[in-house]
Amino acid sequence: MGAISNDWLEPLKPEFSKPYYAKLYKTILQEYRTRRVYPAADDIFNAFEYTPLSEVKVVILGQDPYHGDGQAHGLCFSVKPEVEIPPSLVNIYQELHDDLGCYIPDNGCLTKWAKQGVLLLNTVLTVRAHQANSHRGLGWEEFTDAVIRILDAQDRPIVFILWGRPAQAKKSMLRNPGHLILEAPHPSPLSAYRGFFGSRPFSRTNQFLESHGQTPIDWQIKNVHKH
């Protein structure tokens, strides 16, 4: 199982010694030994690896990793470059195009966002192959709640983007009036037409960052394949 090694380690240390985490660790280890589990064990904590705590400007909250072969790599909504773009991300790209005029890229790899300070956090960090939500309730939620509290306590303005009900359920943990909370329906094809389209999260995020003297996010994901 991957490990957290950067400036996230210190504030998260108390979690690693709690009983729930010991139990979670054992369960997940066993799952990786006996089942097909995504993402790869070394990728579980990629969101933290790519986006150190001191650099977080934006948090996008997802639910659990993609459960198809070779899709998940530890960042919510993101897939590896060679994998077909999943339907929710197709809709995210569509809204990004309508909001900021970004072209629709040929891949779904969002590491560029992560490296600019967009924490792409799932509330559950692992999943069994082809079984959505199969690792719900094992303890990941408690761990990622701790992450959300750590972020809320930061004394610099952060944008929290909450798409869909499970993400919005975390809103009660966000008490710091210095942050911006953007809520919209989930970008999945089932709900995107209920108000995700037209919610303009990307321009609103950048306006907020700029109004607080921060560099805006360059949201344009580049094409990686030869056309």
Side-chain angles (χ1 to χ4, degrees):
M1 212 155 119
I4 291 175
S5 55
N6 57 13
D7 65 357
W8 278 105
L9 189 57
E10 201 50 44
L12 281 170
K13 248 193 195 137
E15 298 308 305
F16 297 131
S17 55
K18 289 180 182 172
Y20 88 84
Y21 194 87
K23 196 173 155 216
L24 168 69
Y25 189 83
K26 242 169 76 176
T27 307
I28 296 299
L29 228 50
Q30 181 62 11
E31 284 281 300
Y32 273 96
R33 279 198 200 108
T34 57
R35 306 263 182 175
R36 270 169 63 216
V37 176
Y38 297 125
D42 287 344
D43 290 342
I44 294 175
F45 295 115
N46 271 357
F48 304 95
E49 197 57 45
Y50 283 120
T51 317
L53 175 58
S54 57
E55 291 170 27
V56 176
K57 295 177 176 179
V58 183
V59 180
I60 297 180
L61 218 45
Q63 214 168 332
D64 69 333
Y66 294 121
H67 52 80
D69 299 333
Q71 290 181 300
H73 64 127
L75 306 176
C76 74
F77 294 108
S78 180
V79 289
K80 294 175 189 172
E82 64 281 0
V83 176
E84 190 182 348
I85 302 170
S88 289
L89 186 53
V90 168
N91 287 341
I92 290 169
Y93 282 163
Q94 185 59 52
E95 177 59 21
L96 183 53
H97 171 73
D98 297 345
D99 186 3
L100 289 174
C102 292
Y103 67 79
I104 310 247
D106 61 9
N107 70 97
C109 184
L110 305 180
T111 49
K112 178 182 173 179
W113 293 359
K115 287 176 177 172
Q116 293 180 80
V118 181
L119 183 70
L120 296 166
L121 181 69
N122 278 314
T123 51
V124 173
L125 299 184
T126 54
V127 69
R128 276 186 193 173
H130 315 303
Q131 294 180 45
N133 289 317
S134 45
H135 283 178
R136 189 167 56 191
L138 297 182
W140 280 129
E141 294 89 344
E142 205 169 326
F143 179 74
T144 52
D145 279 1
V147 171
I148 293 167
R149 286 194 196 95
I150 290 164
L151 289 161
D152 185 55
Q154 300 301 302
D155 64 352
R156 62 180 190 281
I158 294 175
V159 182
F160 289 85
I161 297 178
L162 309 179
W163 288 330
R165 283 205 195 101
Q168 286 159 14
K170 305 294 182 187
K171 190 182 174 181
S172 59
M173 298 165 60
L174 301 172
R175 306 213 169 113
N176 186 332
H179 300 321
L180 174 67
I181 300 172
L182 298 178
E183 296 179 83
H186 196 276
S188 92
L190 300 172
S191 54
Y193 290 95
R194 296 190 204 134
F196 171 77
F197 290 126
S199 61
R200 309 201 60 176
F202 308 102
S203 59
R204 288 162 72 194
T205 292
N206 280 353
Q207 280 158 5
F208 178 80
L209 292 173
E210 288 183 282
S211 73
H212 288 87
Q214 300 212 42
T215 318
I217 306 297
D218 172 9
W219 294 102
Q220 179 68 69
I221 298 294
K222 300 278 192 281
N223 286 334
V224 293
H225 306 294
K226 298 267 185 286
H227 290 279

